[in-house]
Amino acid sequence: MYPDYPGQYILLLEEASDVAEESEIVGELETQTESGANERMQEAIEIQSGQNSSETGRKYDATTLSVTGIPTTLLNYLSNRYELQYTLYDYLYRNGYSDVTAAAVNSYEIDADARTATITFTLSDGSSLTGIYSRDDNSYSYQ
């Protein structure tokens, strides 16, 4: 961001009152933007799921699911590890697995010809789940 001047520094002096007013305005705008974005995100999630949290008693929060034990080879094959986490959570949420908080990769198989990866998960409730990742479509399906 700043040019390299070995052994030299670039300093900028500003009046303290100008900086204080500016930071207050920026802080208020950030707070308004964050709250608005959070409201819009929650509305979008409710629309996507077709239910709101007051109807189901559960909140949709994909960050509560941790996916562990993903081998490096599989990570390199997937386009984005977070898509795996979020699509898995979405599947679990829609199918009533509300008590599941963790999923561990038990095994996987990459089919280079079909450009798919079949992943077997062990869920925190003791059950198993198989997911299929299609590299061509960058999509996941679960069974």
Side-chain angles (χ1 to χ4, degrees), residues 22 48 137 142:
E22 196 173 294
Q48 177 185 1
D137 302 338
Y142 298 95

Side-chain angles (χ1 to χ4, degrees), residues 1 14 48 105 140:
M1 186 163 169
E14 291 185 32
Q48 177 185 1
V105 174
Y140 294 86

Side-chain angles (χ1 to χ4, degrees), residues 7 12 15 20 28 31 48 53 62 72 93 111 113 122 124 128 142:
L12 175 66
E15 290 292 324
E28 289 175 14
T31 303
Q48 177 185 1
S53 58
T72 306
Y93 181 85
D111 184 348
D113 294 332
T122 302
S124 60
S128 291
Y142 298 95

Side-chain angles (χ1 to χ4, degrees), residues 10-16 18-19:
I10 299 173
L11 299 176
L12 175 66
L13 299 176
E14 291 185 32
E15 290 292 324
D18 293 342
V19 173

